[in-house]
Amino acid sequence: MLGSYQERGFAIIKGFADADVVQKFRTEMDKVSESEASICVRHLRSKSDIVEEFAFSDQVRDLLGANWLPVRSILFDKNKAMNWPVAWHQDLTIALKGYEEVSGYGPWSEKDGVIHVHAPDQVLQNMITIRLHLDDTPASNGALRVMPGSHLKGKINSALIPAMVNSGEHVCECLAGDLLVMSPLILHASHKSQKPSRRRIIHIEYAQANTLDAALEWHESAIKRK
């Protein structure tokens, strides 16, 4: 998996979670989504014990290695009522506990009361995202589309993206229980679902220890339960 990931910027691990685990997550995520009244729930680890346990589980550590720490977690829950396309982009922002003037970081913004900032290339190159699928996600149900190898180009000027995505995309079709591993720097997008059904995904971003500038701290570095 590691060799494929380094070259292509993504990898799919089939059957990472069995049917019983998937069902446990579905039940829990439906409760969280209802409680938060949102189909995009940020800071998910603070709202679910089983997501927190999964983020630090031996299964994930065996896959990524012990030096990776979870730093942001989100639940995405596309459905028939909330069905939207996502344009080609890279995940360039990180969530922090506060603002500090540090060279290479910026612009700054705020989402749901949390400070976010565009991170330098070297930070994003030392991050990795896992996405656990709780529902089948074929191309017709908004599967993620990626441009293999685009993560090797660093931050890409938005004006150059259209020319890069004319051909060569890969559609990451996944079944419930499959895990998608991806670089935040890979160009990715998704179509609006043509045959919309539930598309619940647990999205967790990891960073290697000591990735951040010493003056900064990850927003999810220390989780406190509600």
Side-chain angles (χ1 to χ4, degrees), residues 101-120:
E101 189 67 42
V102 178
S103 178
Y105 290 79
W108 295 77
S109 60
E110 185 174 313
K111 299 177 185 177
D112 295 341
V114 175
I115 298 296
H116 287 70
V117 65
H118 278 221

Side-chain angles (χ1 to χ4, degrees), residues 40-44 47 72-75 111-112 116:
C40 179
V41 180
R42 301 181 187 276
H43 323 306
L44 184 60
K47 297 159 186 174
R72 182 160 60 172
S73 52
I74 307 170
L75 168 66
K111 299 177 185 177
D112 295 341
H116 287 70

Side-chain angles (χ1 to χ4, degrees), residues 13-211:
I13 315 299
K14 294 293 186 181
F16 191 79
D18 64 28
D20 289 341
V21 171
V22 168
Q23 186 55 51
K24 180 174 71 172
F25 273 120
R26 286 173 177 166
T27 300
E28 174 85 347
M29 293 306 97
D30 286 352
K31 290 178 182 177
V32 170
S33 185
E34 181 178 356
S35 174
E36 297 294 316
S38 176
I39 47 80
C40 179
V41 180
R42 301 181 187 276
H43 323 306
L44 184 60
R45 289 169 49 217
S46 67
K47 297 159 186 174
S48 169
D49 287 336
I50 67 170
V51 172
E52 173 75 338
E53 292 167 3
F54 175 72
F56 286 98
S57 66
D58 290 342
Q59 187 181 20
V60 172
R61 285 185 177 276
D62 287 346
L63 177 69
L64 302 183
N67 196 41
W68 294 88
L69 302 173
V71 295
R72 182 160 60 172
S73 52
I74 307 170
L75 168 66
F76 295 112
D77 184 6
K78 278 191 177 182
N79 53 60
K80 292 181 180 179
M82 298 295 292
N83 177 22
W84 66 96
V86 178
W88 287 102
H89 68 286
Q90 298 171 297
D91 290 338
L92 302 179
T93 61
I94 57 176
L96 301 177
K97 283 196 172 178
Y99 170 83
E100 293 287 346
E101 189 67 42
V102 178
S103 178
Y105 290 79
W108 295 77
S109 60
E110 185 174 313
K111 299 177 185 177
D112 295 341
V114 175
I115 298 296
H116 287 70
V117 65
H118 278 221
D121 279 15
Q122 62 267 29
V123 171
L124 299 169
Q125 289 164 356
N126 285 290
M127 295 181 67
I128 192 168
T129 298
I130 65 172
R131 291 164 62 95
L132 180 64
H133 292 71
L134 304 185
D135 301 285
D136 293 349
T137 310
S140 61
N141 192 29
L144 200 71
R145 303 151 61 206
V146 300
M147 287 299 299
S150 56
H151 67 300
L152 299 175
K153 300 181 182 296
K155 290 183 181 178
I156 300 171
N157 187 310
S158 59
L160 301 178
I161 291 177
M164 295 180 62
V165 298
N166 285 336
S167 63
E169 74 173 59
H170 179 87
V171 181
C172 299
E173 295 186 292
C174 291
L175 298 176
D178 290 351
L179 190 79
L180 173 63
V181 183
M182 58 183 280
S183 165
L185 284 169
I186 195 170
L187 280 171
H188 57 286
S190 64
H191 285 305
K192 186 175 182 178
S193 297
Q194 298 167 338
K195 298 179 180 179
S197 60
R198 296 294 293 278
R199 199 208 71 172
R200 291 162 288 190
I201 291 173
I202 295 173
H203 171 114
I204 306 177
E205 298 172 13
Y206 288 78
Q208 290 191 358
N210 302 318
T211 292

